[in-house]
Amino acid sequence: MVSRVIPVDPFDLVIFGGTGDLARRKILPALYRRFRDGQMPEEARIIGAARTNQDGAAWRAWVREAFDEFLRPDEISDDVVAAFLERLDYLAIDATGDGGWSDLKDKMRDDVTQAFYFSVGPSLFGALAERLHNHGIAREGARIVVEKPFGRDLDSACALNATLAEHFDETQIYRIDHYLGKETVQNLMAVRFGNVLFEPLWNAQYVDSVQITVAEEVSVAGRGAYYDRSGAMRDMVQNHLMQLLCLTAMEPPSRFDPDAVRDEKLKVIRALDPVEPSDIVRGQYDDGMGPSYIDDVEDPASRTESFIAMKLHIANWRWNGTPFYLRTGKRLKARKSEIVVTFKEPPHSIFDADAGSRANVLSIRLQPDEGMDLRVTIKEPGPGGMRLVDVPLDMSFAEALGPEAEHVPDAYERLIMDVIRGNQTLFMRGDEVEAAWAWTDPIIAAWKERGDKPVTYEAGSSGPEEALMLLHRDGRRWREIS
Ligand code: NAD
């Protein structure tokens, strides 16, 4: 079962930062896959722009090399790659300089959709927006795509929003959170709002608790300097985990339309109670054998967290009394992201006490193996009387999509096509980002004021003991990270 591919309209996409890591790792492979599957029309064009002085042929050769690294061998067909590369062009442009802009203007066509991907550090967003405007390059309706980090606190996020707003309308700005492009995350909305089965139970009366985990195996080695200025709260919770929380907890929007969905997400952020210090655990990995966090960031006095676990309350009618537990960290046991909704046990059991009774659990897996499973209780097979067991109703997307589907589409494939289609549903609106920072800032400020020091956890473990206790004291347990 493969969904029908509907080609997008012809476009000119300019990738500022076209020689960067994100371009070669994610953006260009995603575009190639959409081209291969027939979603990118013949008339589409991609223009790389960066400071490196090189011609189009040199950039195309670099892109070709990147494909060998970031596409699976079976995805590469020489003919398709050659046809894709024909759509690529390059211009040497310094975001802060004046050269190259008139060449870019000459290359842009009048009758196609325009998109500008700012795959550069946020300090260049203002310079790019201004030049696109002043040189008369960006037409009305042109789209700009910006990457995380979108600010490091409320003030800087507001400043970035204000800078972009000088030249672009909110309807033109696509703030990427690639978690929102994941197939499973969209499926969370499909499951919640496309079935009658879940929504009546999706509230504090029937949901015991929700866990959201984004666990990574990797350390921060190699990007320690950047990470140490940010930490798990800024790098993961304020954006990715917050977005997952919003989609899990939001009210049904009236339509599947960008502002209707984003209005509901915003209400969730605004309904979050302040978090008690005792409901937060911060950790730093410590590896007796290899480098510890402080070695990776080269600051023995660092108080930045590489792990965070927290218990949140959403102060509204739907969720009053249901805790949401969030957890994310580096150098954990496994790479695993999931949302787990644990329902309450049946209010009364008609079976013998020793029959056993279990709560239904819906797990939404983001990685690896995107999919969902719902654990339901059935009778243990066999003649041995009424004993209950829970079994999974499992839906792996890779399996469900069938053998023709080579892969579950990467988030960037979906999101870039949405930019061209002009659909902002899966992108963060400026006020959402600001509300998330407004919630995050006081928490970080309080750590600083109290001089909080993260606890240590063993590299390769499930995180600090204190994080396990956060749930134990409520009579709950985290799901295994495995
Ligand atoms: P990078 O350092 O690898 O690449 C930066 C790119 O910007 C290069 O092409 C460079 O030539 C270009 N550039 C720098 N200064 C410029 C200037 N003055 N004028 C024109 N071009 C200039 O960075 P990256 O990893 O590709 O990240 C780009 C953005 O995406 C950053 O904001 C980063 O935080 C974000 N991001 C990256 C990743 C990732 O996996 N790499 C993931 C999420 C977000």
Side-chain angles (χ1 to χ4, degrees), residues 44-88:
R45 265 218 329 248
I46 298 156
I47 301 168
R51 276 184 306 190
T52 313
N53 220 339
Q54 62 179 355
D55 61 12
W59 190 55
R60 285 190 286 275
W62 177 85
V63 174
R64 180 68 189 81
E65 273 178 33
F67 285 179
D68 283 335
E69 201 174 340
F70 296 107
L71 290 170
R72 292 193 316 269
D74 61 310
E75 291 183 294
I76 299 176
S77 146
D78 287 339
D79 291 350
V80 183
V81 171
F84 175 78
L85 294 178
E86 274 177 31
R87 289 177 165 81
L88 267 53

Short mmCIF file of all heavy atoms in Angstrom, two decimals, residues 44-88:
data_model
loop_
_atom_site.label_atom_id
_atom_site.label_comp_id
_atom_site.label_asym_id
_atom_site.label_seq_id
_atom_site.Cartn_x
_atom_site.Cartn_y
_atom_site.Cartn_z
N ALA A 44 11.33 21.96 -11.45
CA ALA A 44 11.85 22.40 -10.15
C ALA A 44 13.34 22.71 -10.26
O ALA A 44 14.06 22.05 -11.00
CB ALA A 44 11.63 21.30 -9.12
N ARG A 45 13.77 23.73 -9.51
CA ARG A 45 15.21 24.04 -9.50
C ARG A 45 15.69 24.32 -8.09
O ARG A 45 14.99 24.93 -7.28
CB ARG A 45 15.46 25.26 -10.37
CG ARG A 45 15.85 24.85 -11.79
CD ARG A 45 16.90 25.77 -12.34
NE ARG A 45 16.73 27.09 -11.78
CZ ARG A 45 16.35 28.15 -12.47
NH1 ARG A 45 16.09 28.04 -13.76
NH2 ARG A 45 16.25 29.32 -11.89
N ILE A 46 16.90 23.87 -7.81
CA ILE A 46 17.48 24.04 -6.47
C ILE A 46 18.79 24.80 -6.64
O ILE A 46 19.65 24.38 -7.43
CB ILE A 46 17.74 22.67 -5.82
CG1 ILE A 46 16.41 21.92 -5.65
CG2 ILE A 46 18.44 22.83 -4.48
CD1 ILE A 46 16.56 20.43 -5.57
N ILE A 47 18.90 25.90 -5.93
CA ILE A 47 20.12 26.71 -6.06
C ILE A 47 20.84 26.71 -4.71
O ILE A 47 20.27 27.13 -3.70
CB ILE A 47 19.77 28.16 -6.46
CG1 ILE A 47 19.02 28.15 -7.80
CG2 ILE A 47 21.04 29.02 -6.54
CD1 ILE A 47 18.38 29.48 -8.17
N GLY A 48 22.05 26.19 -4.70
CA GLY A 48 22.85 26.24 -3.47
C GLY A 48 23.51 27.60 -3.38
O GLY A 48 23.95 28.15 -4.40
N ALA A 49 23.57 28.15 -2.18
CA ALA A 49 24.25 29.43 -1.99
C ALA A 49 25.04 29.36 -0.70
O ALA A 49 24.51 28.94 0.33
CB ALA A 49 23.24 30.57 -1.93
N ALA A 50 26.30 29.71 -0.77
CA ALA A 50 27.16 29.73 0.42
C ALA A 50 28.38 30.57 0.09
O ALA A 50 28.50 31.07 -1.04
CB ALA A 50 27.55 28.31 0.83
N ARG A 51 29.27 30.69 1.07
CA ARG A 51 30.42 31.56 0.84
C ARG A 51 31.46 30.94 -0.09
O ARG A 51 32.19 31.65 -0.76
CB ARG A 51 31.08 31.91 2.18
CG ARG A 51 30.39 33.07 2.85
CD ARG A 51 31.10 33.46 4.10
NE ARG A 51 31.24 32.31 5.00
CZ ARG A 51 31.66 32.40 6.25
NH1 ARG A 51 32.00 33.56 6.74
NH2 ARG A 51 31.76 31.33 7.01
N THR A 52 31.54 29.62 -0.11
CA THR A 52 32.57 28.94 -0.91
C THR A 52 32.52 29.39 -2.37
O THR A 52 31.45 29.37 -2.98
CB THR A 52 32.37 27.41 -0.86
OG1 THR A 52 32.15 27.04 0.49
CG2 THR A 52 33.55 26.67 -1.45
N ASN A 53 33.70 29.77 -2.88
CA ASN A 53 33.76 30.20 -4.27
C ASN A 53 33.92 29.00 -5.17
O ASN A 53 35.00 28.42 -5.25
CB ASN A 53 34.97 31.14 -4.43
CG ASN A 53 34.62 32.29 -5.32
OD1 ASN A 53 33.66 32.20 -6.10
ND2 ASN A 53 35.39 33.37 -5.22
N GLN A 54 32.88 28.57 -5.79
CA GLN A 54 32.95 27.39 -6.68
C GLN A 54 31.84 27.52 -7.71
O GLN A 54 30.92 28.33 -7.56
CB GLN A 54 32.79 26.10 -5.87
CG GLN A 54 31.44 26.00 -5.14
CD GLN A 54 31.27 24.70 -4.34
OE1 GLN A 54 32.10 23.83 -4.38
NE2 GLN A 54 30.18 24.59 -3.60
N ASP A 55 31.91 26.70 -8.75
CA ASP A 55 30.84 26.76 -9.75
C ASP A 55 29.83 25.64 -9.51
O ASP A 55 29.98 24.81 -8.61
CB ASP A 55 31.42 26.73 -11.17
CG ASP A 55 32.19 25.44 -11.44
OD1 ASP A 55 32.08 24.50 -10.62
OD2 ASP A 55 32.90 25.38 -12.47
N GLY A 56 28.80 25.64 -10.35
CA GLY A 56 27.72 24.66 -10.19
C GLY A 56 28.23 23.23 -10.30
O GLY A 56 27.79 22.35 -9.54
N ALA A 57 29.20 23.01 -11.21
CA ALA A 57 29.69 21.63 -11.42
C ALA A 57 30.36 21.12 -10.15
O ALA A 57 30.18 19.96 -9.76
CB ALA A 57 30.67 21.62 -12.59
N ALA A 58 31.13 21.99 -9.48
CA ALA A 58 31.82 21.57 -8.26
C ALA A 58 30.81 21.25 -7.16
O ALA A 58 30.96 20.27 -6.42
CB ALA A 58 32.78 22.67 -7.80
N TRP A 59 29.76 22.06 -7.08
CA TRP A 59 28.74 21.80 -6.03
C TRP A 59 28.01 20.48 -6.33
O TRP A 59 27.79 19.67 -5.45
CB TRP A 59 27.75 22.96 -5.93
CG TRP A 59 26.83 22.84 -4.73
CD1 TRP A 59 27.22 22.72 -3.44
CD2 TRP A 59 25.40 22.84 -4.74
NE1 TRP A 59 26.11 22.63 -2.62
CE2 TRP A 59 24.98 22.71 -3.39
CE3 TRP A 59 24.43 22.94 -5.74
CZ2 TRP A 59 23.64 22.68 -3.02
CZ3 TRP A 59 23.09 22.91 -5.36
CH2 TRP A 59 22.70 22.79 -4.03
N ARG A 60 27.69 20.27 -7.59
CA ARG A 60 26.99 19.03 -7.96
C ARG A 60 27.85 17.80 -7.62
O ARG A 60 27.33 16.79 -7.14
CB ARG A 60 26.61 19.05 -9.45
CG ARG A 60 25.43 19.97 -9.75
CD ARG A 60 24.92 19.79 -11.16
NE ARG A 60 25.82 20.38 -12.14
CZ ARG A 60 25.81 21.68 -12.50
NH1 ARG A 60 24.90 22.50 -11.97
NH2 ARG A 60 26.66 22.14 -13.39
N ALA A 61 29.16 17.92 -7.84
CA ALA A 61 30.04 16.79 -7.52
C ALA A 61 30.04 16.53 -6.01
O ALA A 61 30.03 15.39 -5.55
CB ALA A 61 31.46 17.08 -8.00
N TRP A 62 29.99 17.62 -5.25
CA TRP A 62 29.96 17.50 -3.77
C TRP A 62 28.64 16.87 -3.32
O TRP A 62 28.62 16.02 -2.43
CB TRP A 62 30.13 18.92 -3.20
CG TRP A 62 30.05 19.04 -1.72
CD1 TRP A 62 31.06 18.85 -0.82
CD2 TRP A 62 28.90 19.40 -0.95
NE1 TRP A 62 30.59 19.08 0.46
CE2 TRP A 62 29.28 19.42 0.40
CE3 TRP A 62 27.58 19.74 -1.28
CZ2 TRP A 62 28.39 19.75 1.43
CZ3 TRP A 62 26.68 20.05 -0.27
CH2 TRP A 62 27.09 20.06 1.07
N VAL A 63 27.55 17.26 -3.98
CA VAL A 63 26.24 16.69 -3.64
C VAL A 63 26.25 15.20 -3.97
O VAL A 63 25.77 14.36 -3.20
CB VAL A 63 25.10 17.41 -4.41
CG1 VAL A 63 23.76 16.71 -4.18
CG2 VAL A 63 25.02 18.88 -4.01
N ARG A 64 26.82 14.85 -5.11
CA ARG A 64 26.87 13.43 -5.52
C ARG A 64 27.60 12.59 -4.48
O ARG A 64 27.18 11.50 -4.12
CB ARG A 64 27.57 13.33 -6.89
CG ARG A 64 27.68 11.92 -7.42
CD ARG A 64 26.30 11.38 -7.78
NE ARG A 64 26.30 9.96 -8.11
CZ ARG A 64 26.28 8.97 -7.21
NH1 ARG A 64 26.29 9.25 -5.92
NH2 ARG A 64 26.26 7.72 -7.58
N GLU A 65 28.71 13.17 -3.95
CA GLU A 65 29.47 12.46 -2.91
C GLU A 65 28.65 12.31 -1.64
O GLU A 65 28.68 11.28 -0.98
CB GLU A 65 30.75 13.23 -2.57
CG GLU A 65 31.90 12.88 -3.47
CD GLU A 65 33.13 13.71 -3.13
OE1 GLU A 65 33.34 14.05 -1.95
OE2 GLU A 65 33.87 14.03 -4.08
N ALA A 66 27.91 13.37 -1.33
CA ALA A 66 27.07 13.31 -0.11
C ALA A 66 26.04 12.18 -0.24
O ALA A 66 25.72 11.51 0.74
CB ALA A 66 26.36 14.65 0.10
N PHE A 67 25.53 11.96 -1.44
CA PHE A 67 24.54 10.90 -1.64
C PHE A 67 25.13 9.53 -1.30
O PHE A 67 24.46 8.67 -0.74
CB PHE A 67 24.00 10.92 -3.07
CG PHE A 67 23.03 12.03 -3.34
CD1 PHE A 67 22.47 12.20 -4.60
CD2 PHE A 67 22.65 12.90 -2.32
CE1 PHE A 67 21.55 13.23 -4.84
CE2 PHE A 67 21.75 13.93 -2.56
CZ PHE A 67 21.20 14.09 -3.83
N ASP A 68 26.40 9.35 -1.69
CA ASP A 68 27.03 8.06 -1.37
C ASP A 68 27.08 7.84 0.13
O ASP A 68 27.00 6.71 0.61
CB ASP A 68 28.46 8.00 -1.93
CG ASP A 68 28.42 7.74 -3.44
OD1 ASP A 68 27.43 7.16 -3.90
OD2 ASP A 68 29.37 8.16 -4.13
N GLU A 69 27.20 8.96 0.86
CA GLU A 69 27.31 8.83 2.30
C GLU A 69 25.94 8.73 2.98
O GLU A 69 25.77 7.99 3.94
CB GLU A 69 28.08 10.04 2.84
CG GLU A 69 28.67 9.79 4.20
CD GLU A 69 29.56 10.95 4.68
OE1 GLU A 69 30.01 11.75 3.83
OE2 GLU A 69 29.76 11.06 5.87
N PHE A 70 24.97 9.47 2.48
CA PHE A 70 23.71 9.61 3.23
C PHE A 70 22.49 8.96 2.59
O PHE A 70 21.38 9.05 3.12
CB PHE A 70 23.44 11.08 3.56
CG PHE A 70 24.50 11.64 4.46
CD1 PHE A 70 25.45 12.53 3.99
CD2 PHE A 70 24.57 11.24 5.79
CE1 PHE A 70 26.43 13.03 4.83
CE2 PHE A 70 25.54 11.73 6.64
CZ PHE A 70 26.49 12.63 6.16
N LEU A 71 22.65 8.34 1.43
CA LEU A 71 21.55 7.54 0.88
C LEU A 71 21.98 6.07 0.92
O LEU A 71 23.17 5.78 0.85
CB LEU A 71 21.26 7.94 -0.57
CG LEU A 71 20.62 9.31 -0.80
CD1 LEU A 71 20.64 9.66 -2.29
CD2 LEU A 71 19.19 9.35 -0.29
N ARG A 72 21.00 5.19 1.04
CA ARG A 72 21.36 3.77 0.98
C ARG A 72 21.72 3.43 -0.47
O ARG A 72 21.16 4.01 -1.41
CB ARG A 72 20.15 2.90 1.39
CG ARG A 72 19.76 3.00 2.85
CD ARG A 72 18.79 1.86 3.18
NE ARG A 72 17.78 1.68 2.15
CZ ARG A 72 16.60 2.28 2.15
NH1 ARG A 72 16.28 3.12 3.11
NH2 ARG A 72 15.73 2.05 1.18
N PRO A 73 22.64 2.48 -0.68
CA PRO A 73 23.06 2.15 -2.05
C PRO A 73 21.86 1.81 -2.94
O PRO A 73 21.83 2.20 -4.11
CB PRO A 73 23.96 0.93 -1.86
CG PRO A 73 24.45 1.01 -0.45
CD PRO A 73 23.40 1.71 0.34
N ASP A 74 20.86 1.12 -2.38
CA ASP A 74 19.72 0.73 -3.21
C ASP A 74 18.80 1.90 -3.56
O ASP A 74 17.89 1.77 -4.36
CB ASP A 74 18.91 -0.40 -2.54
CG ASP A 74 18.35 0.04 -1.21
OD1 ASP A 74 19.10 0.59 -0.38
OD2 ASP A 74 17.14 -0.15 -0.99
N GLU A 75 19.04 3.05 -2.94
CA GLU A 75 18.23 4.23 -3.30
C GLU A 75 18.84 4.98 -4.46
O GLU A 75 18.21 5.86 -5.05
CB GLU A 75 18.16 5.20 -2.11
CG GLU A 75 17.36 4.68 -0.94
CD GLU A 75 17.29 5.73 0.16
OE1 GLU A 75 18.33 6.06 0.76
OE2 GLU A 75 16.18 6.22 0.40
N ILE A 76 20.10 4.68 -4.74
CA ILE A 76 20.82 5.46 -5.75
C ILE A 76 20.70 4.80 -7.12
O ILE A 76 21.12 3.66 -7.31
CB ILE A 76 22.31 5.60 -5.37
CG1 ILE A 76 22.43 6.34 -4.03
CG2 ILE A 76 23.09 6.32 -6.45
CD1 ILE A 76 23.84 6.45 -3.50
N SER A 77 20.09 5.52 -8.03
CA SER A 77 20.07 5.06 -9.42
C SER A 77 20.80 6.14 -10.22
O SER A 77 20.46 7.32 -10.14
CB SER A 77 18.61 4.90 -9.87
OG SER A 77 18.51 5.23 -11.23
N ASP A 78 21.83 5.73 -10.94
CA ASP A 78 22.68 6.72 -11.62
C ASP A 78 21.88 7.64 -12.54
O ASP A 78 22.13 8.84 -12.60
CB ASP A 78 23.80 6.02 -12.40
CG ASP A 78 24.84 5.46 -11.44
OD1 ASP A 78 24.90 5.95 -10.29
OD2 ASP A 78 25.56 4.52 -11.83
N ASP A 79 20.91 7.06 -13.27
CA ASP A 79 20.11 7.89 -14.18
C ASP A 79 19.30 8.93 -13.41
O ASP A 79 19.21 10.10 -13.80
CB ASP A 79 19.11 7.01 -14.97
CG ASP A 79 19.86 6.13 -15.95
OD1 ASP A 79 21.08 6.36 -16.11
OD2 ASP A 79 19.22 5.22 -16.51
N VAL A 80 18.68 8.48 -12.33
CA VAL A 80 17.84 9.40 -11.55
C VAL A 80 18.71 10.47 -10.90
O VAL A 80 18.37 11.66 -10.90
CB VAL A 80 17.02 8.63 -10.48
CG1 VAL A 80 16.10 9.58 -9.72
CG2 VAL A 80 16.21 7.51 -11.12
N VAL A 81 19.87 10.05 -10.38
CA VAL A 81 20.77 11.03 -9.77
C VAL A 81 21.20 12.06 -10.81
O VAL A 81 21.18 13.27 -10.56
CB VAL A 81 22.01 10.34 -9.13
CG1 VAL A 81 23.03 11.38 -8.69
CG2 VAL A 81 21.60 9.48 -7.94
N ALA A 82 21.55 11.59 -12.02
CA ALA A 82 21.99 12.52 -13.07
C ALA A 82 20.87 13.51 -13.40
O ALA A 82 21.11 14.72 -13.54
CB ALA A 82 22.41 11.73 -14.31
N ALA A 83 19.64 13.01 -13.51
CA ALA A 83 18.51 13.89 -13.83
C ALA A 83 18.26 14.88 -12.70
O ALA A 83 17.94 16.05 -12.92
CB ALA A 83 17.25 13.05 -14.09
N PHE A 84 18.45 14.41 -11.44
CA PHE A 84 18.27 15.30 -10.29
C PHE A 84 19.33 16.40 -10.31
O PHE A 84 19.02 17.58 -10.14
CB PHE A 84 18.35 14.49 -9.00
CG PHE A 84 18.30 15.32 -7.75
CD1 PHE A 84 17.09 15.82 -7.28
CD2 PHE A 84 19.46 15.64 -7.03
CE1 PHE A 84 17.03 16.61 -6.12
CE2 PHE A 84 19.42 16.42 -5.89
CZ PHE A 84 18.20 16.91 -5.43
N LEU A 85 20.59 15.99 -10.53
CA LEU A 85 21.68 16.97 -10.48
C LEU A 85 21.53 18.06 -11.54
O LEU A 85 21.98 19.19 -11.36
CB LEU A 85 23.04 16.26 -10.63
CG LEU A 85 23.43 15.33 -9.47
CD1 LEU A 85 24.76 14.64 -9.76
CD2 LEU A 85 23.51 16.07 -8.14
N GLU A 86 20.85 17.72 -12.64
CA GLU A 86 20.61 18.74 -13.68
C GLU A 86 19.78 19.90 -13.15
O GLU A 86 19.76 20.98 -13.71
CB GLU A 86 19.86 18.12 -14.86
CG GLU A 86 20.78 17.47 -15.87
CD GLU A 86 19.98 16.79 -16.97
OE1 GLU A 86 18.87 17.29 -17.29
OE2 GLU A 86 20.45 15.76 -17.47
N ARG A 87 19.04 19.64 -12.09
CA ARG A 87 18.17 20.70 -11.53
C ARG A 87 18.92 21.60 -10.56
O ARG A 87 18.35 22.51 -10.00
CB ARG A 87 17.00 20.06 -10.77
CG ARG A 87 16.14 19.48 -11.65
CD ARG A 87 14.99 18.74 -11.67
NE ARG A 87 14.54 18.83 -13.04
CZ ARG A 87 15.02 18.09 -14.03
NH1 ARG A 87 15.94 17.19 -13.81
NH2 ARG A 87 14.57 18.26 -15.24
N LEU A 88 20.21 21.29 -10.33
CA LEU A 88 20.97 22.01 -9.30
C LEU A 88 21.89 23.08 -9.89
O LEU A 88 22.53 22.85 -10.92
CB LEU A 88 21.84 21.00 -8.52
CG LEU A 88 21.24 20.41 -7.24
CD1 LEU A 88 19.88 19.82 -7.49
CD2 LEU A 88 22.18 19.40 -6.63
#
